Amino acid sequence: MNLLAGQGYAIEPGTSITSRPPLYPVLLAAVYAVFGTHYEAMWYVQAVLKSLTIFPVYCLGKRLFSPSVGLWAAGLYALYPSFDMVATLYRENLVAILLVLFLWALVVAMQEHRFSALMAAGVLAGCLMLANTIFLVLPLILCAIGFLDPRVRPQRMRLAGMILIALLVYLPWQVRSTLLVDASDEERSFRHLVLMFGHYPVFAGTFWWTLTDMRQLEIEREGARAWLQRLEQSRSGMPLADRINRDRHELSQLILDRPFSYLKFVFNRDLIFLFSPPPGTTTLRSIHPILAWAALFANLVFVGGAILYLLRAYRMDLSSYGVFGVLLSLLVVYGLLHSIRRYGYVMAPVWCVYGAAAAGCVWTRISGNMKRGALS
């Protein structure tokens, strides 16, 4: 709304910020410009984006495996319980379709050595970084995999070109953020609050967020917010740099004192990212706890099977290089750096592709065994 009013990219009118990546707010402003400043209009736009994602999911499944896998993946995604996100103003609604398009373009570029697909993958990777800063780690992870995996050697120059394009797309925003000297304290304060909030269980001594109950997890998050507010109030008279140094020193000391507990904490956050209960589990729990546990188990089997098949596919075929890189980068970010929410939405299309491929592989083996048994 401040963008539309000519007040700049700001939360408070006239005070520019750098802590929020711009792509989703700019899309929101564009929707407001067309339909008026009613956030419900964005719900419909997000519903369209979510529905359109079915088509690149099909294309990705077809490219990686077969047309039948593409059809099953698209069908699974159409039924996957993540569409409630469209009624919330979360940037994951935009990130999901950008991520699938990026992966599809990268697969085409690697399989057919098409420069146009490589350019598209680079632009889409840059858009991902402009939509969510967690993807700033992605180029580094892709480079690391390319360096360690000898199979990538013939593709290294092309992949380096794609990464360069992505960085060039992101560069104007970085230049703008660097030139906004007045926003540096706001940026540092925001990132520090995110760090402290995400590490609340470390300060509380539990080293664990609830994994199986989203309602309980939200209660824990509310406790983290209240604790953070009390902490900020108690240190309100302290300069920002001193507060940051003091808090980070305390956090570092807690980690050094209990390193194995911290590893458990990192593992816990990655588990929430990968296997957090699907939407609607809280409602199922209110009907009967067994229903909630059944939904959680089904999600665990589905996502776990998709991950195992992804690892198998990457070992056998380099086409899954980009998907493996995305998964690894998100595990690093959410395990080490980020706070907790049901962020696994963005990977739902990927789980549907590899889950469909895994199910197809299992079915082929079962039917083959049945035929051989009948013949014998």
Side-chain angles (χ1 to χ4, degrees), residues 151-189:
R151 298 177 300 166
V152 185
R153 188 173 292 115
Q155 303 266 22
R156 282 176 183 171
M157 291 303 297
R158 284 187 288 270
L159 294 172
M162 179 205 71
I163 293 171
L164 179 61
I165 293 170
L167 295 176
L168 289 174
V169 172
Y170 182 78
L171 183 62
W173 171 254
Q174 183 59 46
V175 170
R176 179 257 186 197
S177 300
T178 303
L179 294 176
L180 283 175
V181 180
D182 294 339
S184 59
D185 284 348
E186 178 267 340
E187 171 77 9
R188 291 173 62 203
S189 177

Short mmCIF file of all heavy atoms in Angstrom, two decimals, residues 151-189:
data_model
loop_
_atom_site.label_atom_id
_atom_site.label_comp_id
_atom_site.label_asym_id
_atom_site.label_seq_id
_atom_site.Cartn_x
_atom_site.Cartn_y
_atom_site.Cartn_z
N ARG A 151 30.48 -36.08 -12.14
CA ARG A 151 29.56 -36.18 -13.28
C ARG A 151 29.12 -34.82 -13.80
O ARG A 151 28.70 -34.68 -14.95
CB ARG A 151 28.32 -36.98 -12.88
CG ARG A 151 28.58 -38.42 -12.47
CD ARG A 151 27.29 -39.08 -12.03
NE ARG A 151 26.69 -38.37 -10.90
CZ ARG A 151 25.43 -38.55 -10.48
NH1 ARG A 151 24.65 -39.42 -11.11
NH2 ARG A 151 24.96 -37.89 -9.44
N VAL A 152 29.23 -33.79 -12.95
CA VAL A 152 28.79 -32.44 -13.33
C VAL A 152 29.85 -31.73 -14.15
O VAL A 152 29.57 -30.70 -14.77
CB VAL A 152 28.43 -31.63 -12.06
CG1 VAL A 152 27.84 -30.27 -12.41
CG2 VAL A 152 27.44 -32.40 -11.19
N ARG A 153 31.08 -32.26 -14.19
CA ARG A 153 32.20 -31.56 -14.82
C ARG A 153 31.91 -31.07 -16.23
O ARG A 153 32.18 -29.90 -16.55
CB ARG A 153 33.45 -32.46 -14.81
CG ARG A 153 34.71 -31.72 -15.27
CD ARG A 153 35.96 -32.58 -15.11
NE ARG A 153 36.26 -32.80 -13.70
CZ ARG A 153 36.22 -33.98 -13.11
NH1 ARG A 153 35.86 -35.06 -13.80
NH2 ARG A 153 36.51 -34.12 -11.84
N PRO A 154 31.32 -31.88 -17.11
CA PRO A 154 31.05 -31.37 -18.48
C PRO A 154 30.02 -30.22 -18.50
O PRO A 154 29.95 -29.49 -19.49
CB PRO A 154 30.50 -32.61 -19.21
CG PRO A 154 30.98 -33.77 -18.42
CD PRO A 154 31.00 -33.31 -17.00
N GLN A 155 29.23 -30.08 -17.44
CA GLN A 155 28.17 -29.07 -17.41
C GLN A 155 28.56 -27.83 -16.59
O GLN A 155 27.77 -26.91 -16.47
CB GLN A 155 26.90 -29.68 -16.77
CG GLN A 155 26.38 -30.91 -17.47
CD GLN A 155 25.31 -30.57 -18.49
OE1 GLN A 155 25.23 -29.45 -18.97
NE2 GLN A 155 24.49 -31.55 -18.81
N ARG A 156 29.78 -27.82 -16.05
CA ARG A 156 30.13 -26.79 -15.08
C ARG A 156 30.06 -25.38 -15.65
O ARG A 156 29.57 -24.45 -14.99
CB ARG A 156 31.52 -27.05 -14.50
CG ARG A 156 31.53 -28.16 -13.45
CD ARG A 156 32.94 -28.46 -12.97
NE ARG A 156 32.91 -29.57 -12.00
CZ ARG A 156 34.01 -30.17 -11.54
NH1 ARG A 156 35.20 -29.76 -11.95
NH2 ARG A 156 33.90 -31.16 -10.68
N MET A 157 30.55 -25.19 -16.85
CA MET A 157 30.55 -23.85 -17.43
C MET A 157 29.13 -23.36 -17.67
O MET A 157 28.81 -22.18 -17.41
CB MET A 157 31.34 -23.84 -18.74
CG MET A 157 32.84 -24.03 -18.56
SD MET A 157 33.57 -22.78 -17.46
CE MET A 157 33.26 -21.28 -18.39
N ARG A 158 28.25 -24.24 -18.16
CA ARG A 158 26.86 -23.84 -18.38
C ARG A 158 26.18 -23.51 -17.05
O ARG A 158 25.43 -22.53 -16.95
CB ARG A 158 26.11 -24.95 -19.11
CG ARG A 158 26.44 -25.02 -20.61
CD ARG A 158 25.54 -26.02 -21.31
NE ARG A 158 25.90 -27.39 -20.95
CZ ARG A 158 26.78 -28.12 -21.61
NH1 ARG A 158 27.41 -27.62 -22.65
NH2 ARG A 158 27.03 -29.36 -21.25
N LEU A 159 26.42 -24.34 -16.03
CA LEU A 159 25.82 -24.09 -14.73
C LEU A 159 26.37 -22.80 -14.10
O LEU A 159 25.63 -22.06 -13.45
CB LEU A 159 26.06 -25.27 -13.80
CG LEU A 159 25.35 -26.57 -14.21
CD1 LEU A 159 25.80 -27.73 -13.35
CD2 LEU A 159 23.84 -26.40 -14.10
N ALA A 160 27.63 -22.53 -14.32
CA ALA A 160 28.21 -21.28 -13.83
C ALA A 160 27.54 -20.08 -14.51
O ALA A 160 27.29 -19.05 -13.88
CB ALA A 160 29.71 -21.26 -14.07
N GLY A 161 27.22 -20.23 -15.80
CA GLY A 161 26.51 -19.16 -16.50
C GLY A 161 25.13 -18.94 -15.93
O GLY A 161 24.68 -17.79 -15.78
N MET A 162 24.43 -20.04 -15.61
CA MET A 162 23.10 -19.90 -15.01
C MET A 162 23.16 -19.18 -13.67
O MET A 162 22.35 -18.29 -13.38
CB MET A 162 22.48 -21.29 -14.81
CG MET A 162 21.10 -21.27 -14.17
SD MET A 162 20.70 -22.82 -13.31
CE MET A 162 21.79 -22.71 -11.89
N ILE A 163 24.14 -19.54 -12.84
CA ILE A 163 24.30 -18.90 -11.54
C ILE A 163 24.64 -17.44 -11.70
O ILE A 163 24.14 -16.57 -10.96
CB ILE A 163 25.36 -19.65 -10.72
CG1 ILE A 163 24.86 -21.05 -10.37
CG2 ILE A 163 25.74 -18.88 -9.46
CD1 ILE A 163 25.90 -21.95 -9.74
N LEU A 164 25.47 -17.11 -12.69
CA LEU A 164 25.82 -15.71 -12.94
C LEU A 164 24.58 -14.90 -13.33
O LEU A 164 24.39 -13.77 -12.87
CB LEU A 164 26.87 -15.63 -14.05
CG LEU A 164 27.32 -14.22 -14.45
CD1 LEU A 164 27.94 -13.49 -13.27
CD2 LEU A 164 28.29 -14.28 -15.62
N ILE A 165 23.74 -15.48 -14.18
CA ILE A 165 22.50 -14.80 -14.57
C ILE A 165 21.62 -14.56 -13.33
O ILE A 165 21.05 -13.48 -13.16
CB ILE A 165 21.74 -15.63 -15.62
CG1 ILE A 165 22.53 -15.68 -16.93
CG2 ILE A 165 20.35 -15.05 -15.86
CD1 ILE A 165 21.98 -16.67 -17.94
N ALA A 166 21.52 -15.56 -12.47
CA ALA A 166 20.71 -15.42 -11.25
C ALA A 166 21.23 -14.28 -10.38
O ALA A 166 20.46 -13.47 -9.86
CB ALA A 166 20.70 -16.73 -10.47
N LEU A 167 22.54 -14.21 -10.22
CA LEU A 167 23.13 -13.15 -9.40
C LEU A 167 22.93 -11.78 -10.03
O LEU A 167 22.74 -10.79 -9.32
CB LEU A 167 24.62 -13.43 -9.19
CG LEU A 167 24.95 -14.70 -8.37
CD1 LEU A 167 26.45 -14.92 -8.31
CD2 LEU A 167 24.36 -14.60 -6.97
N LEU A 168 22.97 -11.70 -11.36
CA LEU A 168 22.73 -10.43 -12.03
C LEU A 168 21.28 -9.97 -11.84
O LEU A 168 21.02 -8.77 -11.72
CB LEU A 168 23.05 -10.55 -13.52
CG LEU A 168 24.54 -10.67 -13.88
CD1 LEU A 168 24.72 -10.92 -15.37
CD2 LEU A 168 25.30 -9.41 -13.45
N VAL A 169 20.34 -10.91 -11.83
CA VAL A 169 18.95 -10.56 -11.57
C VAL A 169 18.79 -10.02 -10.15
O VAL A 169 18.04 -9.07 -9.91
CB VAL A 169 18.03 -11.79 -11.79
CG1 VAL A 169 16.61 -11.49 -11.34
CG2 VAL A 169 18.03 -12.18 -13.26
N TYR A 170 19.50 -10.61 -9.21
CA TYR A 170 19.40 -10.20 -7.82
C TYR A 170 20.20 -8.92 -7.52
O TYR A 170 19.90 -8.20 -6.55
CB TYR A 170 19.88 -11.33 -6.91
CG TYR A 170 19.77 -11.04 -5.44
CD1 TYR A 170 18.54 -11.13 -4.79
CD2 TYR A 170 20.89 -10.66 -4.69
CE1 TYR A 170 18.43 -10.85 -3.44
CE2 TYR A 170 20.78 -10.39 -3.33
CZ TYR A 170 19.55 -10.49 -2.72
OH TYR A 170 19.44 -10.21 -1.38
N LEU A 171 21.20 -8.62 -8.35
CA LEU A 171 22.14 -7.53 -8.07
C LEU A 171 21.49 -6.17 -7.84
O LEU A 171 21.88 -5.47 -6.89
CB LEU A 171 23.17 -7.44 -9.20
CG LEU A 171 24.27 -6.39 -9.03
CD1 LEU A 171 25.11 -6.70 -7.79
CD2 LEU A 171 25.15 -6.33 -10.28
N PRO A 172 20.52 -5.72 -8.66
CA PRO A 172 19.93 -4.39 -8.41
C PRO A 172 19.35 -4.24 -7.01
O PRO A 172 19.50 -3.19 -6.39
CB PRO A 172 18.85 -4.28 -9.49
CG PRO A 172 19.31 -5.17 -10.58
CD PRO A 172 19.99 -6.32 -9.90
N TRP A 173 18.69 -5.28 -6.51
CA TRP A 173 18.14 -5.21 -5.16
C TRP A 173 19.25 -5.10 -4.12
O TRP A 173 19.15 -4.35 -3.15
CB TRP A 173 17.28 -6.44 -4.87
CG TRP A 173 16.84 -6.54 -3.45
CD1 TRP A 173 17.32 -7.41 -2.52
CD2 TRP A 173 15.87 -5.75 -2.77
NE1 TRP A 173 16.71 -7.23 -1.31
CE2 TRP A 173 15.80 -6.20 -1.43
CE3 TRP A 173 15.04 -4.71 -3.17
CZ2 TRP A 173 14.95 -5.64 -0.49
CZ3 TRP A 173 14.18 -4.15 -2.23
CH2 TRP A 173 14.14 -4.61 -0.91
N GLN A 174 20.35 -5.84 -4.34
CA GLN A 174 21.47 -5.79 -3.41
C GLN A 174 22.13 -4.41 -3.42
O GLN A 174 22.50 -3.88 -2.37
CB GLN A 174 22.50 -6.88 -3.75
CG GLN A 174 23.66 -6.95 -2.78
CD GLN A 174 23.21 -7.21 -1.37
OE1 GLN A 174 22.39 -8.08 -1.12
NE2 GLN A 174 23.77 -6.47 -0.41
N VAL A 175 22.26 -3.83 -4.61
CA VAL A 175 22.83 -2.48 -4.72
C VAL A 175 21.94 -1.48 -3.99
O VAL A 175 22.41 -0.63 -3.23
CB VAL A 175 23.01 -2.09 -6.20
CG1 VAL A 175 23.38 -0.62 -6.32
CG2 VAL A 175 24.06 -2.96 -6.86
N ARG A 176 20.64 -1.58 -4.21
CA ARG A 176 19.70 -0.68 -3.53
C ARG A 176 19.80 -0.82 -2.02
O ARG A 176 19.81 0.17 -1.29
CB ARG A 176 18.29 -1.00 -4.02
CG ARG A 176 17.17 -0.17 -3.39
CD ARG A 176 16.44 -0.99 -2.36
NE ARG A 176 15.27 -0.28 -1.83
CZ ARG A 176 14.65 -0.62 -0.72
NH1 ARG A 176 15.10 -1.66 -0.01
NH2 ARG A 176 13.61 0.05 -0.30
N SER A 177 19.90 -2.06 -1.54
CA SER A 177 19.99 -2.28 -0.10
C SER A 177 21.29 -1.73 0.47
O SER A 177 21.32 -1.18 1.57
CB SER A 177 19.89 -3.78 0.21
OG SER A 177 18.66 -4.31 -0.24
N THR A 178 22.37 -1.87 -0.30
CA THR A 178 23.67 -1.37 0.16
C THR A 178 23.68 0.15 0.24
O THR A 178 24.26 0.73 1.16
CB THR A 178 24.78 -1.84 -0.78
OG1 THR A 178 24.76 -3.28 -0.85
CG2 THR A 178 26.14 -1.39 -0.30
N LEU A 179 23.02 0.82 -0.71
CA LEU A 179 23.01 2.28 -0.73
C LEU A 179 22.12 2.88 0.35
O LEU A 179 22.28 4.04 0.70
CB LEU A 179 22.54 2.77 -2.11
CG LEU A 179 23.48 2.45 -3.27
CD1 LEU A 179 22.87 2.91 -4.59
CD2 LEU A 179 24.85 3.09 -3.06
N LEU A 180 21.18 2.08 0.89
CA LEU A 180 20.29 2.58 1.93
C LEU A 180 20.98 2.45 3.29
O LEU A 180 20.72 1.53 4.07
CB LEU A 180 18.97 1.81 1.93
CG LEU A 180 17.97 2.18 0.83
CD1 LEU A 180 16.77 1.26 0.90
CD2 LEU A 180 17.52 3.63 0.98
N VAL A 181 21.87 3.38 3.56
CA VAL A 181 22.63 3.33 4.81
C VAL A 181 21.71 3.44 6.01
O VAL A 181 21.90 2.80 7.04
CB VAL A 181 23.68 4.46 4.83
CG1 VAL A 181 24.49 4.41 6.14
CG2 VAL A 181 24.61 4.34 3.64
N ASP A 182 20.65 4.26 5.88
CA ASP A 182 19.74 4.48 7.01
C ASP A 182 19.00 3.21 7.41
O ASP A 182 18.48 3.12 8.52
CB ASP A 182 18.73 5.58 6.67
CG ASP A 182 19.40 6.94 6.49
OD1 ASP A 182 20.52 7.09 7.02
OD2 ASP A 182 18.82 7.81 5.84
N ALA A 183 18.91 2.27 6.46
CA ALA A 183 18.16 1.05 6.74
C ALA A 183 19.02 -0.05 7.35
O ALA A 183 18.52 -1.13 7.67
CB ALA A 183 17.51 0.52 5.45
N SER A 184 20.33 0.21 7.55
CA SER A 184 21.23 -0.84 8.02
C SER A 184 20.86 -1.30 9.42
O SER A 184 20.88 -2.50 9.71
CB SER A 184 22.67 -0.33 7.99
OG SER A 184 22.81 0.83 8.80
N ASP A 185 20.52 -0.37 10.34
CA ASP A 185 20.13 -0.77 11.69
C ASP A 185 18.84 -1.58 11.69
O ASP A 185 18.71 -2.55 12.43
CB ASP A 185 19.97 0.47 12.58
CG ASP A 185 21.30 1.06 13.00
OD1 ASP A 185 22.33 0.38 12.80
OD2 ASP A 185 21.32 2.18 13.51
N GLU A 186 17.89 -1.17 10.85
CA GLU A 186 16.63 -1.91 10.73
C GLU A 186 16.88 -3.33 10.24
O GLU A 186 16.30 -4.30 10.74
CB GLU A 186 15.68 -1.17 9.80
CG GLU A 186 14.34 -1.86 9.54
CD GLU A 186 14.35 -2.75 8.32
OE1 GLU A 186 15.23 -2.55 7.46
OE2 GLU A 186 13.50 -3.64 8.23
N GLU A 187 17.80 -3.46 9.26
CA GLU A 187 18.12 -4.77 8.71
C GLU A 187 18.78 -5.65 9.78
O GLU A 187 18.42 -6.81 9.97
CB GLU A 187 19.06 -4.60 7.52
CG GLU A 187 19.66 -5.89 6.96
CD GLU A 187 18.69 -6.67 6.13
OE1 GLU A 187 17.60 -6.16 5.84
OE2 GLU A 187 19.02 -7.81 5.77
N ARG A 188 19.74 -5.10 10.48
CA ARG A 188 20.46 -5.86 11.51
C ARG A 188 19.51 -6.26 12.65
O ARG A 188 19.57 -7.39 13.15
CB ARG A 188 21.61 -5.02 12.07
CG ARG A 188 22.74 -4.79 11.09
CD ARG A 188 23.75 -3.80 11.66
NE ARG A 188 24.36 -4.32 12.87
CZ ARG A 188 24.92 -3.55 13.80
NH1 ARG A 188 24.90 -2.23 13.66
NH2 ARG A 188 25.49 -4.10 14.86
N SER A 189 18.64 -5.35 13.04
CA SER A 189 17.69 -5.64 14.12
C SER A 189 16.73 -6.75 13.71
O SER A 189 16.46 -7.68 14.49
CB SER A 189 16.92 -4.39 14.50
OG SER A 189 15.95 -4.67 15.49
#
